[in-house]
Amino acid sequence: SAFSDGLRQKIDAYLKRYETPRSAILPVLHSIQDEYGWIKEEHVEELHTKYKLDRVHVKEVMTFYDIYKDKPTRKYMIRFCKNITCTMMGARPAIARVEEIIEKLDRELGEDGPFQLEPFPCLGKCDGAPVMLVNKERVEHCTVDKIDGLLAKYAPLPR
């Protein structure tokens, strides 16, 4: 099996909760990605063979929602809001600082760097602008002067 026992139990619970297996696809994919960091082809195959979910439907959902990844990601996925409110409140220089930190870490660590940056259209928290998500943790008021301290909570930063 491509899934752990715990994940199979979660998937089974979702399938019981929803009217059809197809209706459970979003929480099922979230659970897979939470456990493995991304959704592998073998996961799609097991969803098809064991849970009777159509492969094409699973792939369509994964490509429609860019939060689902079909390739490995780094330990900390940073999604920085790039809407107008966050931009006006200082997102651009903060994003530039995140990029600078990631570049330095990549020079030191190569592919093993802890952070991956992904601009995001809107995180829906304009009163906390600029906003970023680090994995699933929302961080508000991420101005350039706070970025180093915020990221240092997750991994050692370059000097």
Side-chain angles (χ1 to χ4, degrees):
S1 172
F3 302 138
S4 68
D5 290 338
L7 181 57
R8 278 197 305 278
Q9 289 172 1
K10 280 183 187 177
I11 293 171
D12 290 341
Y14 285 129
L15 293 174
K16 287 177 187 165
R17 194 163 137 203
Y18 288 86
E19 193 172 317
T20 66
R22 184 180 171 104
S23 301
I25 191 68
L26 296 178
V28 165
L29 290 175
H30 275 297
S31 296
I32 294 168
Q33 189 159 286
D34 286 347
E35 183 155 325
Y36 297 102
W38 61 295
I39 300 163
K40 303 173 187 177
E41 193 59 43
E42 66 191 76
H43 298 145
V44 174
E45 188 58 32
E46 183 149 342
L47 289 174
H48 173 70
T49 56
K50 182 168 177 23
Y51 298 102
K52 307 302 179 223
L53 287 163
D54 182 59
R55 285 183 199 93
V56 172
H57 177 65
V58 173
K59 292 288 199 166
E60 286 173 342
V61 171
M62 288 174 57
T63 55
F64 182 80
Y65 295 104
D66 62 0
I67 198 160
Y68 299 118
K69 303 300 176 197
D70 62 356
K71 293 177 180 55
T73 60
R74 295 187 179 187
K75 184 173 183 179
Y76 299 105
M77 174 65 76
I78 299 170
R79 291 182 174 93
F80 219 110
C81 185
K82 62 178 185 175
N83 75 11
I84 189 68
T85 305
C86 285
T87 299
M88 289 175 60
M89 296 300 292
R92 281 192 181 130
I95 291 169
R97 180 63 186 141
V98 170
E99 290 171 336
E100 183 181 319
I101 290 169
I102 290 173
E103 283 176 22
K104 286 181 181 177
L105 285 167
D106 286 355
R107 280 196 299 274
E108 288 178 15
L109 305 171
E111 296 285 319
D112 295 328
F115 299 114
Q116 182 172 334
L117 178 63
E118 178 176 271
F120 209 76
C122 182
L123 292 172
K125 191 66 173 127
C126 294
D127 63 331
V131 181
M132 71 177 178
L133 284 178
V134 180
N135 292 344
K136 290 190 173 186
E137 181 183 349
R138 184 179 60 220
V139 186
E140 300 177 12
H141 308 292
C142 301
T143 54
V144 68
D145 56 317
K146 296 180 182 176
I147 291 296
D148 288 51
L150 292 170
L151 295 185
K153 292 184 342 186
Y154 300 98
L157 300 185
R159 299 193 185 270

